[in-house]
Amino acid sequence: MNKTPHILVVDDNPEIRDLVSRFLIKDGYRVSTAGDGREMHKALADKRIDLILLDLMLPGEDGLSLCRTIRSTSNIPIIMVTAKGEEIDRVLGLEMGADDYIAKPFGTREVLARIKAVLRRVSGETSTQEASPRTKYSFAKWILDVDKRELLSADGIVTPLSTGEYDLLMAFVERPKRVLSRDQLLDLARGRSASVYDRSIDTQVSRLRRKMELDPKSPEIIKTVWGGGYIFTPEVSQS
Amino acid sequence: MNKTPHILVVDDNPEIRDLVSRFLIKDGYRVSTAGDGREMHKALADKRIDLILLDLMLPGEDGLSLCRTIRSTSNIPIIMVTAKGEEIDRVLGLEMGADDYIAKPFGTREVLARIKAVLRRVSGETSTQEASPRTKYSFAKWILDVDKRELLSADGIVTPLSTGEYDLLMAFVERPKRVLSRDQLLDLARGRSASVYDRSIDTQVSRLRRKMELDPKSPEIIKTVWGGGYIFTPEVSQS
DNA sequence: AAAAAAGTGTGTCTAATTGTGACAATCCAG
DNA sequence: CTGGATTGTCACAATTAGACACACTTTTTT
């Protein structure tokens, strides 16, 4: 794991979000924030998150409930954050699937230490990675087998994909009909953010098109949005 | 996203609108204002708004109610503004779908910080307001396929459109039979406002006409409104 | 462990798209 | 009808994307 971990800070207080983001970034992490459950789910759908810092008290669905929801579909590590005096919930939080627990007010050193510890602990596990709920996607004349990481044409013939090509295609397939910037794609497929003159996504898109498009010169599946990025146009169905 | 965000300031007090607009513009944002719900809805229909600064107390329909109305059709980020002493409404505001909350009187730095924070948070999400429920529009002898970003003649033959041509046509198709100024079109299609001698829309309209009109010299679909802009005349139906 | 193969990203050149300036054509007020 | 303002369109410059070669990494094979 040489990629810098991407941490999602979920707290309804914007000042706390800002404060925490700032020192996490300073320590070299990539950070996204969310103010409630809805935003959290959006972030989880759009980005490859490595760890969630989840406040217990939230408007709408509360932290415990969110924690359980996340656990039902993935095993992203979660650190619960709670205001002092709510310590009773510690056991409950851990039972809900949180990986650690920290009480407000907290020092930056403490949070950093816990994050590091949890990440180290989790990376050691032969992370079977989140159990993908669906195992096959169909689109255009292709089938993407998530379990086998294989691309099949409709008649079942395998088209070999490299790791990077597969990851990029996966990012597209899971977010069809949406314009995705190069930066987003890089985050989703590679887990890193773009550097100044980064053209690697273009190259990889070009390679994918060569393998998948009937006529790579006028692509039907992955289209270019000039000045914006790329968009995966086909209807995707799961099976 | 390199386009400068467009912020809509909704407040019934003209002095506050002016004050806020001024420092937002100074900070590089594009700004529109509205004094009540009616004007707000007009602005939302006419321009591509990236964020709404919404005062809680308004004549007619109040801020909370407007907030809910907006949320029912879009997910444009909203920051609620409220006079001091109304802090009780904080949770209520967030539950109504606001993304953040700020109390009057506020410092400019505070407002700018919150706006920046909300925009950054949202920028990772689906490009703000292109959740078109319908995927195809028909007009004249053309069909515009929104998913595939393709223009088809009635017999199904594809007419290639560049990204900019597609975006402009989309702006027209979604607002047919209305005079649209160059400034509006630039905002809707490009997400930026016109500079002094901006003729790019004219050029792009010319290019669209060349591809779509039977006789580009006497256009039937996109007509010129002398001194006003352009108007998309055909009846548009969705399918 | 060394060698070979496959995969990935950067730099360069080419192609496509877009915006701007120029100038002709058109429109409208007086 | 005339003149200034506005619009249509062309050519060109600037920006962005595609393709390809090559260097650098990682993985696999020997």
Side-chain angles (χ1 to χ4, degrees):
Chain A
M1 183 87 36
N2 44 12
K3 295 147 188 169
T4 57
H6 196 154
I7 294 175
L8 178 62
V9 179
V10 185
D11 196 309
D12 60 322
N13 183 333
E15 286 167 27
I16 293 186
R17 288 202 300 270
D18 269 18
L19 178 75
V20 174
S21 317
R22 214 171 306 135
F23 73 73
L24 285 178
I25 290 169
K26 210 165 175 177
D27 210 60
Y29 294 102
R30 288 176 298 137
V31 178
S32 296
T33 61
D36 56 29
R38 198 178 47 82
E39 293 176 5
M40 185 190 76
H41 286 300
K42 259 187 182 146
L44 287 175
D46 287 349
K47 303 169 183 183
R48 210 188 58 87
I49 301 296
D50 295 294
L51 185 144
I52 303 172
L53 256 185
L54 180 57
D55 191 44
L56 186 65
M57 296 295 288
L58 288 173
E61 212 181 346
D62 79 350
L64 274 184
S65 161
L66 287 175
C67 182
R68 200 172 23 186
T69 314
I70 298 165
R71 271 292 167 279
S72 67
T73 59
S74 105
N75 53 4
I76 296 179
I78 299 171
I79 298 180
M80 293 290 282
V81 177
T82 162
K84 64 180 173 192
E86 297 174 344
E87 314 210 19
I88 338 96
D89 297 310
R90 165 151 210 210
V91 176
L92 193 54
L94 292 177
E95 270 178 4
M96 281 303 171
D99 294 80
D100 205 340
Y101 170 95
I102 198 166
K104 280 185 201 174
F106 43 68
T108 61
R109 289 161 49 85
E110 188 181 4
V111 178
L112 289 173
R114 303 246 180 164
I115 288 175
K116 217 161 139 187
V118 169
L119 284 177
R120 182 155 34 85
R121 201 162 72 219
V122 174
S123 74
E125 296 172 12
T126 319
S127 53
T128 325
Q129 222 17 8
E130 46 208 280
S132 317
R134 270 64 169 235
T135 67
K136 285 179 183 174
Y137 293 98
S138 314
F139 56 90
K141 55 168 195 134
W142 298 101
I143 299 165
L144 189 67
D145 187 323
V146 179
D147 289 333
K148 299 184 175 173
R149 293 179 68 90
E150 274 179 353
L151 179 65
L152 307 154
S153 53
D155 48 12
I157 296 172
V158 177
T159 300
L161 288 185
S162 75
T163 311
E165 288 162 356
Y166 173 85
D167 289 342
L168 178 59
L169 180 54
M170 195 68 183
F172 276 123
V173 167
E174 288 184 329
R175 293 159 196 81
K177 299 179 185 185
R178 279 173 45 182
V179 178
L180 297 170
S181 71
R182 289 172 174 72
D183 214 1
Q184 280 180 295
L185 288 167
L186 212 45
D187 182 31
L188 293 166
R190 300 291 136 82
R192 62 184 178 82
S193 50
S195 47
V196 208
Y197 281 118
D198 209 320
R199 303 286 315 284
S200 58
I201 286 295
D202 301 52
T203 314
Q204 214 61 312
V205 166
S206 171
R207 285 169 179 147
L208 262 184
R209 280 176 176 161
R210 209 177 309 158
K211 291 188 177 179
M212 298 178 53
E213 299 279 0
L214 277 171
D215 175 12
K217 291 282 177 187
S218 52
E220 290 291 316
I221 299 175
I222 301 174
K223 293 195 173 174
T224 304
V225 179
W226 208 87
Y230 296 94
I231 184 169
F232 187 85
T233 62
E235 198 78 44
V236 175
S237 65
Q238 299 169 333
S239 50
Chain B
M1 192 73 46
N2 41 14
K3 295 148 187 168
T4 55
H6 195 154
I7 295 174
L8 178 61
V9 179
V10 186
D11 198 310
D12 58 323
N13 182 334
E15 286 170 27
I16 293 187
R17 287 203 300 269
D18 268 19
L19 178 75
V20 175
S21 315
R22 213 170 306 136
F23 73 73
L24 285 179
I25 290 169
K26 209 166 176 177
D27 211 61
Y29 294 102
R30 289 176 297 138
V31 178
S32 296
T33 60
D36 55 29
R38 204 179 42 80
E39 290 179 20
M40 184 190 77
H41 284 300
K42 187 167 184 338
L44 287 175
D46 287 349
K47 303 168 184 184
R48 209 187 59 86
I49 300 297
D50 295 293
L51 185 145
I52 303 173
L53 256 185
L54 180 57
D55 191 46
L56 187 65
M57 296 296 286
L58 288 174
E61 212 181 347
D62 79 349
L64 273 185
S65 162
L66 288 176
C67 183
R68 199 172 23 187
T69 314
I70 298 164
R71 270 292 168 280
S72 67
T73 60
S74 106
N75 53 4
I76 297 178
I78 300 172
I79 297 180
M80 293 290 282
V81 177
T82 162
K84 65 179 173 191
E86 295 175 333
E87 314 211 19
I88 337 96
D89 297 309
R90 162 154 212 213
V91 175
L92 193 55
L94 292 176
E95 275 178 359
M96 281 306 172
D99 294 81
D100 205 343
Y101 168 95
I102 198 166
K104 281 185 201 173
F106 43 68
T108 62
R109 288 163 48 86
E110 189 181 3
V111 178
L112 289 173
R114 304 247 179 162
I115 289 175
K116 215 161 140 187
V118 169
L119 286 176
R120 178 159 38 85
R121 203 164 70 219
V122 177
S123 74
E125 303 172 6
T126 317
S127 342
T128 352
Q129 54 177 168
E130 51 185 331
S132 318
R134 295 308 193 334
T135 67
K136 285 180 184 173
Y137 293 98
S138 313
F139 55 90
K141 53 166 196 139
W142 298 102
I143 299 166
L144 188 67
D145 187 322
V146 178
D147 287 334
K148 297 186 171 173
R149 298 176 66 92
E150 277 177 354
L151 179 65
L152 308 154
S153 52
D155 49 11
I157 296 173
V158 177
T159 300
L161 290 185
S162 75
T163 305
E165 288 161 358
Y166 172 86
D167 289 342
L168 179 59
L169 180 54
M170 194 70 183
F172 276 123
V173 167
E174 286 185 330
R175 293 162 194 79
K177 300 181 180 186
R178 275 175 50 186
V179 178
L180 297 169
S181 71
R182 290 173 174 73
D183 212 4
Q184 280 180 295
L185 288 167
L186 211 46
D187 182 29
L188 294 166
R190 300 293 135 81
R192 62 184 179 82
S193 51
S195 45
V196 210
Y197 283 117
D198 208 321
R199 303 289 314 284
S200 59
I201 286 296
D202 300 55
T203 314
Q204 213 62 310
V205 166
S206 170
R207 285 169 179 147
L208 261 185
R209 281 175 175 162
R210 207 178 312 159
K211 290 189 177 179
M212 298 179 55
E213 300 279 1
L214 277 171
D215 176 13
K217 291 283 176 187
S218 51
E220 290 292 317
I221 298 175
I222 301 174
K223 292 193 175 170
T224 303
V225 179
W226 207 86
Y230 297 95
I231 185 169
F232 187 83
T233 61
E235 197 76 44
V236 175
S237 65
Q238 299 177 329
S239 50

